[in-house]
Amino acid sequence: MTRTNQELLAKFNMDEIMNCMHCGFCLPACPTYRETGLESQSPRGRIALMKGVANSQLTVDAEFEKNMYACLGCRACETACPAGVPYGSLVETAREVVEDHKKSETKPPFLRQLVFDRVFPYPERMKTLGTVLWATQSAGLQTLANKTGLINILPREMAEMQQAVDKIASPKERKKREPVMKADGETALRIGMFTGCIMDMMFFETNQATAQLLTKAGCDVVFVENQVCCGALHAHAGEKNGAVELAKRNIEAFERAGVDFVVNNAGGCGAALKEYHHWFHGDPEWQERAMAFVAKVRDANELLAELPPLTFTKPLEVRVTYQDSCHLAHGQGVRNQPRQLLKSIPGLELVEMSGADNCCGSAGIYNITNFDMSMQILDGKMEHVKKTKAHLIVTSNPGCLLQMKKGIIRAGLEGQMEAVHIMDLLARAL
């Protein structure tokens, strides 16, 4: 075995791999296993493959890569696992091994380098991308492309998913944002708002609504300068070094801000932020700083449920069903707080759907990279949604929100049902 291969395989944590008892409790919890029935598409099957690679019994080949990337990373298996196997970190390590192995043999594709090295780490470039999307929508080019069929020049996955993209905030609207939003009345806490990259580009109004809710709850909200992407997309795609560098920049930015809490409204981002300390094994200084940062991280639902109750003055006579974000429910254990907040809105009827915490198939960019499987999972989810006869599907993550909007279109429920982020719904009732 070459030195390069030894270094790659050393990334696997054999203690965590060996903790898997292959009991099978994870099987019914896994979306890809439920759809395919294949052992290699289950958590225990993938862990067995990792063990084979780590022991040099199997190679890091195309089949191994396919099975690792077929996973949605929803982490429902972690909730089901009696042994507490940290499957999420294991599959991220497996993907890191895949990508490092490929880089040792050939240069990464240009598009991959563009996304992970040239766009997501730079907030100003993300803002520019948002402005381009806004201009495209404002000029009517998106509508024209859909009507004339020109949209089909895009890959099928992107052509399909763009249907779910709502109107993006204008540059003028973005410039109106104040660096600090003051609390209504006496200030109880100073909150650092983690805006996120995709979240702030495509769901700017949701970030503003979240900040407004926090000010109503007695918080000063600071839009912290120099924050960057959380690094979740990098980590999920095997780009661990890039994820670590982004984590360092965020830790430094929020240290300088001197805030009581770091609040976010995206389940996927929040799960990554709360796990920063696991990204710095072998680096005691940064691990200590990361642990101090993690201690302050809260999902917006989590913090609002702890603060004095909001006073809602506008009754909403609607039937609502709540779709759990996988990384909020399974990754962070935040389940009851969103439901508690929804129940506090006058007039609102909350109807639980079957399998509310089953993955919707979004999983970051999975609905682009594994479109057919993603839509298969989504169609199954929508069957459960239909049975609730809800007016609104509420969720707590931007990827889930786009996916549920797509689900409404696929199910032919446009005009009958709306997908909405919980923070936007709460703001409606203020």
Side-chain angles (χ1 to χ4, degrees):
M1 187 187 298
T2 66
R3 176 180 172 80
T4 301
N5 283 336
Q6 287 177 331
E7 291 171 350
L8 282 178
L9 301 187
K11 293 177 183 291
F12 284 112
N13 187 319
M14 285 304 295
D15 290 337
E16 291 177 350
I17 287 176
M18 296 304 294
N19 277 340
C20 176
M21 303 179 294
H22 300 277
C23 64
F25 277 88
C26 61
L27 299 183
C30 177
T32 51
Y33 182 79
R34 286 199 305 267
E35 295 295 331
T36 67
L38 297 174
E39 184 71 12
S40 61
Q41 297 286 292
S42 74
R44 75 174 183 184
R46 292 188 181 102
I47 290 174
L49 293 173
M50 294 177 207
K51 182 180 177 182
V53 167
N55 288 331
S56 300
Q57 295 169 326
L58 297 173
T59 58
V60 184
D61 57 12
E63 184 67 17
F64 181 75
E65 178 182 357
K66 183 185 80 171
N67 286 313
M68 294 307 113
Y69 276 102
C71 172
L72 291 106
C74 70
R75 297 170 64 171
C77 54
E78 292 187 13
T79 299
C81 181
V85 175
Y87 175 81
S89 65
L90 287 176
V91 79
E92 285 180 1
T93 299
R95 291 174 180 177
E96 182 186 0
V97 168
V98 166
E99 296 307 325
D100 285 356
H101 175 73
K102 287 161 68 177
K103 287 174 185 174
S104 70
E105 296 188 335
T106 184
K107 189 176 180 181
F110 170 74
L111 184 59
R112 184 180 181 90
Q113 287 183 302
L114 180 69
V115 170
F116 291 114
D117 299 339
R118 303 297 179 194
V119 178
F120 276 92
Y122 299 95
E124 289 305 317
R125 295 176 189 177
M126 291 297 293
K127 287 178 185 176
T128 300
L129 180 58
T131 299
V132 170
L133 290 174
W134 167 80
T136 300
Q137 290 177 333
S138 298
L141 297 179
Q142 183 182 19
T143 302
L144 179 65
N146 279 313
K147 285 183 176 179
T148 61
L150 280 173
I151 199 72
N152 294 320
I153 65 173
L154 292 175
R156 179 173 66 107
E157 299 84 355
M158 296 182 71
E160 289 267 356
M161 289 309 300
Q162 60 82 32
Q163 296 173 343
V165 177
D166 283 339
K167 188 169 175 58
I168 291 173
S170 69
K172 183 178 179 181
E173 187 177 351
R174 293 170 187 275
K175 286 179 181 177
K176 290 179 183 177
R177 174 189 279 168
E178 297 292 333
V180 179
M181 290 176 64
K182 300 296 290 182
D184 283 12
E186 189 175 344
T187 300
L189 294 169
R190 179 178 165 87
I191 301 299
M193 183 75 188
F194 186 83
T195 56
C197 49
I198 296 293
M199 195 73 210
D200 214 39
M201 179 180 76
M202 300 184 70
F203 301 100
F204 179 84
E205 293 88 349
T206 304
N207 276 345
Q208 293 299 95
T210 305
Q212 180 192 12
L213 290 163
L214 289 166
T215 62
K216 294 290 184 185
C219 303
D220 285 349
V221 178
V222 183
F223 290 93
V224 175
E225 292 183 357
N226 300 318
Q227 61 175 293
V228 292
C229 171
C230 66
L233 286 176
H234 285 73
H236 299 334
E239 299 287 344
K240 190 61 177 290
N241 290 337
V244 168
E245 289 308 309
L246 291 169
K248 287 180 178 180
R249 289 165 66 184
N250 281 323
I251 291 167
E252 288 175 334
F254 282 89
E255 283 175 344
R256 288 192 295 269
V259 294
D260 299 310
F261 290 103
V262 179
V263 174
N264 74 94
N265 54 20
C269 294
L273 297 173
K274 287 182 177 180
E275 294 175 354
Y276 271 4
H277 54 307
H278 294 308
W279 295 4
F280 291 101
H281 288 304
D283 189 338
E285 179 189 349
W286 272 105
Q287 188 170 49
E288 184 177 349
R289 292 172 71 177
M291 288 176 70
F293 173 87
V294 168
K296 294 183 177 184
V297 177
R298 297 290 188 279
D299 182 78
N301 291 285
E302 200 175 8
L303 186 61
L304 285 170
E306 294 174 6
L307 294 170
L310 292 164
T311 302
F312 295 109
T313 59
K314 184 180 178 182
L316 300 179
E317 303 294 336
V318 289
R319 178 181 292 156
V320 167
T321 193
Y322 179 71
Q323 161 65 19
D324 286 282
S325 155
C326 291
H327 283 89
L328 189 58
H330 302 300
Q332 301 182 58
V334 177
R335 297 171 179 267
N336 295 328
Q337 296 93 323
R339 292 170 168 85
Q340 177 185 330
L341 290 168
L342 289 171
K343 289 176 182 177
S344 69
I345 298 176
L348 184 146
E349 178 189 2
L350 179 62
V351 182
E352 288 289 342
M353 79 168 92
S354 176
D357 63 351
N358 288 346
C359 187
C360 65
S362 172
I365 58 172
Y366 191 91
N367 52 13
I368 300 295
T369 59
N370 297 70
F371 180 77
D372 290 333
M373 177 62 76
S374 172
M375 294 301 107
Q376 198 172 322
I377 292 168
L378 175 60
D379 290 342
K381 168 66 69 175
M382 292 308 298
E383 290 302 312
H384 293 304
V385 170
K386 280 189 234 180
K387 290 175 183 177
T388 68
K389 298 182 179 178
H391 306 116
L392 301 177
I393 311 170
V394 177
T395 188
S396 300
N397 188 60
C400 299
L401 182 57
L402 284 173
Q403 186 81 339
M404 300 318 295
K405 287 177 182 291
K406 179 61 179 174
I408 289 171
I409 295 170
R410 285 177 68 88
L413 296 173
E414 292 172 280
Q416 303 173 48
M417 189 178 286
E418 178 190 0
V420 62
H421 194 287
I422 188 171
M423 294 296 130
D424 290 317
L425 186 62
L426 293 170
R428 287 184 196 179
L430 280 178

